[in-house]
Amino acid sequence: MFDRKGLPKAVTVYEVGPRDGLQNETQVLSTLVKVGLIKRLIGAGLPAVEVASFVRPDLIPALEDAEELLAELAPLLPKHRLSALVPNQRGLDRALKTGIREVAVFASATESFARANLNSTVAGSLDIFTPVIKQARDADLKVRGYISMCFGDPWEGKVATKQIVDVAERLFADGITELSLGDTIGVATPGDVIDLLDALDARGIARSLLAVHFHDTYGQALSNTLTALQEGITTVDSSIGGLGGCPFAKSATGNLATEDLVWQLHGLGISTGIDFTALLDTSRWLRDTTGLAIRSKTAVALMDNKRMVEE
Ligand code: MG
């Protein structure tokens, strides 16, 4: 008999579609459609949504409307956990003006990715983040840290856990309030997840401070998620419709899809606060409004077949 011992009773689904997802789609959505998407996600009960990135607008045109978007979302900020990525001091300055209550910084554990994505070194990028994190915390904002390429890097191959743990320790020392471990190219298998969580635990970084961010490029995202849950993780990142693809592999499959995650969690009796039917309505709305491909297997199975929707 299946033994559910050790699984959490509740999990926080951290929705990254409007930021991580759209950042990696070629189609650019209007501010109006983004606002519609975010409001629907909140309406479906998503407890945390990453909505924007304060990067230089010319670097990521898909996210260049961060200010306009946050102005539209301003009434929601006091009641809902909405966050935005800030790559540097300039990004934080812009974010602070919008009234957002949570920001995120995006660190790399490998030199190759730091050079390719942050145009810096690992140490150099961390030095940029230290005053940004401090200023955000002084302004009473929560700060989420991301570490990308936690399990493998397209240039360097397998990544040593020590590299991840060193960066994690530094980010927590600087003041982050949560750390999301990213399998950016989707190569991890469950044993890798256990090894990394154990290595972090050995340095005193508790599971309760961690989130997991899996990509389904190699079909491992839900297996890795279940393993992380059994290991005590209670925050899982996902993207509506699996938006985002994989920027580093010629694969249409990238971010773990929110619909697939919620289907698994609810199937296990784990509460999320999410109305699955409303989530599926959002997937359908997104497809019909934008033409974007919905890559969630659960959504594809159920979107146009209401008789099979449970709950
Ligand atoms: Mg991602």
Side-chain angles (χ1 to χ4, degrees):
M1 201 172 94
F2 181 63
D3 182 7
R4 292 181 185 173
K5 195 162 148 268
L7 284 171
K9 288 193 172 67
V11 161
T12 299
V13 176
Y14 186 97
E15 171 64 46
V16 299
R19 198 281 302 168
D20 180 351
L22 294 182
Q23 175 176 336
N24 294 305
E25 294 286 339
T26 47
Q27 187 176 336
V28 177
L29 303 191
S30 70
T31 307
L32 188 68
V33 171
K34 288 182 195 171
V35 170
L37 172 60
I38 292 159
K39 286 187 173 173
R40 279 172 173 79
L41 289 166
I42 292 170
L46 266 299
V49 186
E50 198 161 280
V51 297
S53 175
F54 289 94
V55 288
R56 241 173 57 199
D58 58 308
L59 290 182
I60 305 178
L63 303 182
E64 69 178 2
D65 59 347
E67 272 85 358
E68 294 89 325
L69 187 65
L70 265 301
E72 293 290 330
L73 297 174
L76 301 173
L77 291 177
K79 282 180 289 175
H80 298 282
R81 184 181 172 196
L82 304 182
S83 67
L85 204 68
V86 294
N88 49 33
Q89 184 65 48
R90 170 96 185 93
L92 178 63
D93 293 343
R94 290 171 60 199
L96 287 172
K97 287 186 191 137
T98 67
I100 202 158
R101 305 306 310 152
E102 179 166 344
V103 291
V105 297
F106 197 87
S108 172
T110 70
E111 294 297 342
S112 301
F113 188 69
R115 196 159 49 241
N117 202 59
L118 308 171
N119 198 25
S120 184
T121 59
V122 170
S125 62
L126 291 172
D127 286 343
I128 291 169
F129 294 143
T130 298
V132 170
I133 295 167
K134 181 179 187 323
Q135 192 186 341
R137 298 290 292 131
D138 287 347
D140 213 20
L141 269 63
K142 288 190 170 161
V143 181
R144 175 176 239 237
Y146 283 99
I147 303 178
S148 56
M149 307 296 175
C150 281
F151 301 95
D153 175 298
W155 301 277
E156 299 183 16
K158 199 165 171 62
V159 177
T161 55
K162 182 181 182 308
Q163 286 172 248
I164 313 301
V165 177
D166 287 348
V167 173
E169 203 166 44
R170 166 72 180 265
L171 289 170
F172 277 111
D174 284 344
I176 62 164
T177 46
E178 179 174 274
L179 176 66
S180 175
L181 304 166
D183 183 15
T184 317
I185 56 172
V187 293
T189 52
D192 302 321
V193 176
I194 295 170
D195 288 347
L196 179 57
L197 294 175
D198 282 349
L200 289 160
D201 193 53
R203 290 259 203 112
I205 298 172
R207 308 282 210 265
S208 59
L209 297 170
L210 299 172
V212 287
H213 183 116
F214 293 124
H215 281 205
D216 204 36
T217 321
Y218 289 71
Q220 304 297 307
L222 279 176
S223 306
N224 290 336
T225 299
L226 182 57
T227 299
L229 298 176
Q230 288 166 332
E231 287 288 313
I233 294 292
T234 55
T235 300
V236 182
D237 297 2
S238 63
S239 173
I240 176 101
L243 285 185
C246 180
F248 299 99
K250 284 185 180 156
S251 158
T253 314
N255 283 312
L256 169 61
T258 304
E259 302 93 319
D260 298 352
L261 171 63
V262 173
W263 182 259
Q264 182 183 76
L265 293 172
H266 288 188
L268 287 165
I270 295 171
S271 80
T272 63
I274 295 166
D275 176 340
F276 184 78
T277 304
L279 177 64
L280 210 53
D281 287 342
T282 305
S283 318
R284 195 183 300 108
W285 173 88
L286 183 64
R287 180 195 63 183
D288 294 347
T289 305
T290 67
L292 281 167
I294 299 298
R295 302 184 190 98
S296 155
K297 287 185 178 167
T298 303
V300 167
L302 296 176
M303 266 192 304
D304 300 313
N305 187 3
K306 284 189 175 175
R307 281 175 305 164
M308 285 179 64
V309 179
E310 294 179 1
E311 299 185 335

